[in-house]
């Protein structure tokens, strides 16, 4: 298993639709193992294959939930459908979302509170579950990655403007930029924490 570099916004694979997985073989299982390794080293609650430069419809997650779903898993060729989008303004604290491909930044975004998730595990067995709350947010964030959408693409008003400024200030938005989990300083400051609290929403990045 190998930790792989995480690509940063501007890398084309993050901004295009990923291809369906067609074979549940050793190559897929190797990819999934690397994704778990990379997600863990990056202290992410989720990771989509495009984030390690692979344009396939696969994401992993690691998030305890109230939905009776294993806290750790992989979804291949997912379909995620949601309840209505709340129209209220995002709360800077309660709705703060982050992404390993927009490292160190965080912006508030309202998401639907319920997501239906179906797809397959790495062995090709069917998966089908409902996610709520932050777990629903995680599922939507990762599914978005497979459709070439980053959470910063969904921000509204001043948050969208702030995010564009941050991308520019960091020198991102251009191909070829990566960071190395476990080697580079943790962009979200997880290095400083002894124990990650799943309920601290500021630590939720995928
Ligand atoms: Zn992300």
């Amino acid at each position: 298993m190998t930790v792989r570099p995480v690509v940063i916004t501007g890398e084309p694979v993050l901004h295009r639709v990923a291809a369906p997985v067609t074979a549940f073989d050793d190559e897929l299982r190797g990819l999934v193992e690397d994704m778990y390794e990379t997600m863990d080293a990056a202290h992410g609650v989720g990771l989509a294959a495009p984030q390690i430069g692979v344009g396939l419809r696969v994401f992993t997650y690691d998030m305890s939930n109230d939905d009776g779903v294993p806290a750790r898993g992989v979804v291949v060729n997912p379909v995620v459908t949601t309840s209505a989008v709340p129209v209220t303004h995002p709360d800077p604290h309660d709705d703060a979302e982050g992404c390993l491909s927009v490292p160190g930044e965080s912006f508030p975004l309202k998401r639907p509170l319920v997501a239906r998730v179906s797809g397959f595990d790495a062995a090709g067995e069917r998966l089908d579950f409902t996610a709520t709350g932050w777990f629903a947010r995680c599922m939507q964030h990762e599914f978005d990655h497979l459709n070439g959408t980053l959470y910063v693409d969904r921000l509204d008003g001043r948050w969208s403007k702030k995010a564009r400024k941050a991308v520019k200030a960091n020198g991102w938005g251009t191909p070829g930029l990566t960071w190395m989990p476990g080697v580079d300083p943790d962009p979200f400051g997880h290095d400083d924490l002894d124990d990650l609290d799943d309920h601290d929403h500021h630590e939720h990045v995928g």
Side-chain angles (χ1 to χ4, degrees), residues 51 98-101 141-142 145 150-151 206:
Q51 294 183 277
C99 179
L100 297 172
S101 294
H141 180 113
E142 302 313 328
H145 272 302
L150 302 183
Y151 84 101

Side-chain angles (χ1 to χ4, degrees), residues 75-133:
V75 189
V76 179
N77 294 344
V79 174
V80 175
T81 55
T82 56
S83 56
V85 186
V87 291
T88 48
H89 296 294
D91 182 277
H93 178 78
D94 291 339
D95 296 315
E97 193 162 320
C99 179
L100 297 172
S101 294
V102 189
E105 302 292 341
S106 173
F107 300 98
L109 172 65
K110 279 283 183 204
R111 295 271 196 186
L113 299 170
V114 179
R116 287 287 308 170
V117 181
S118 63
F120 302 88
D121 68 14
E125 297 293 323
R126 267 225 158 266
L127 293 173
D128 201 346
F129 58 87
T130 299
T132 61

Side-chain angles (χ1 to χ4, degrees), residues 51-85:
Q51 294 183 277
I52 57 168
V54 177
L56 288 174
R57 302 186 75 77
V58 183
F59 68 72
T60 54
Y61 67 87
D62 187 355
M63 186 184 269
S64 56
N65 58 78
D66 299 326
D67 303 310
V69 179
R72 193 171 163 83
V74 59
V75 189
V76 179
N77 294 344
V79 174
V80 175
T81 55
T82 56
S83 56
V85 186

